[in-house]
Amino acid sequence: HAPGDENTLTSRFVIDGRLCSSYEELLAAGGADGLIRQAPTAYNGVLYRAEALRKVGLPDERFFIRGDDLDYWLRLEQAEVRGVIVAAARMSHPTMYDDEFAVAPFLRIGWTAHCTGSALKNYCLFRNRAFCFKKHGRYRTLAIDLVRYPLFFLVNRRGDIRGLVFWVRAYVEGLFGVFGRERRFLGM
């Protein structure tokens, strides 16, 4: 859960096509035994069996931050590794919702974009999304991002050309598998 809010989940889960963002919704999605059977979607509070790790390998350390859990989840899914979510289990982790924004809400398309006040987090998020979606053949999501983020910077951020250029550079680096440049945001 998010610190200070025991009902809000740190990360949202899609369970049987339904978005769950609260413990209440997660508990309702659980079966009679309180278990939700699907591949884990994040690292927070996840335990993996040794055979799953042998089958899928370790997380890709090149991601550095942001997106490593998405890549791992897609690898688990492709390897047909199933898991369970114990709906009643609780842990605390900082929420990511502070950096999620509706994209051009007047268009009523239901898209959200993530963007923080941190150049490092934004760079890694944008680069890693592009790399991950290309690597896993999620071309529809890549295409959506090519519309979503320009709309976000030009409409939501009212003509934020610097932000758009930053996104384009990071996204292109992700499409071409360029890693290691996040060090420039760490003073290395």
Side-chain angles (χ1 to χ4, degrees):
H1 64 82
D5 183 353
E6 297 217 357
N7 193 44
T8 300
L9 298 175
T10 297
S11 301
R12 294 179 178 154
F13 291 91
V14 177
I15 312 283
D16 295 326
R18 208 172 61 215
L19 185 66
C20 298
S21 57
S22 71
Y23 269 110
E24 212 170 77
E25 294 164 335
L26 195 62
L27 288 169
D33 58 3
L35 302 177
I36 300 164
R37 287 161 179 79
Q38 71 175 41
T41 57
Y43 292 146
N44 307 334
V46 174
L47 300 173
Y48 294 103
R49 292 182 181 263
E51 64 251 27
L53 293 172
R54 281 192 287 276
K55 190 172 188 180
V56 179
L58 295 173
D60 187 340
E61 65 186 32
R62 296 176 301 168
F63 280 83
F64 189 66
I65 60 169
R66 298 270 173 150
D68 48 345
D69 53 349
L70 173 63
D71 176 64
Y72 206 72
W73 170 64
L74 291 171
R75 288 166 48 201
L76 289 167
E77 190 178 72
Q78 288 173 341
E80 298 180 356
V81 172
R82 303 304 293 165
V84 296
I85 297 170
V86 180
R90 291 182 179 239
M91 62 167 284
S92 182
H93 186 277
T95 184
M96 61 181 244
Y97 297 145
D98 292 344
D99 64 357
E100 183 176 53
F101 303 94
V103 174
F106 62 89
L107 293 177
R108 298 186 180 164
I109 50 181
W111 290 346
T112 58
H114 294 274
C115 197
T116 72
S118 163
L120 172 65
K121 287 180 181 179
N122 285 338
Y123 172 79
C124 290
L125 171 70
F126 302 154
R127 180 202 57 201
N128 295 346
R129 282 179 69 88
F131 179 80
C132 191
F133 293 141
K134 181 181 176 189
K135 172 184 172 185
H136 294 285
R138 301 290 175 116
Y139 300 112
R140 181 175 180 266
T141 307
L142 278 170
I144 289 170
D145 272 2
L146 292 174
V147 176
R148 172 196 339 246
Y149 279 93
L151 271 175
F152 172 74
F153 286 108
L154 297 175
V155 176
N156 290 58
R157 292 274 178 99
R158 292 177 168 60
D160 181 0
I161 301 301
R162 288 182 68 192
L164 179 60
V165 169
F166 183 90
W167 173 81
V168 167
R169 285 183 179 152
Y171 214 74
V172 167
E173 288 179 9
L175 290 174
F176 287 97
V178 176
F179 287 93
R181 293 190 177 166
E182 66 278 350
R183 289 182 177 90
R184 66 182 173 234
F185 302 108
L186 297 171
M188 299 174 123

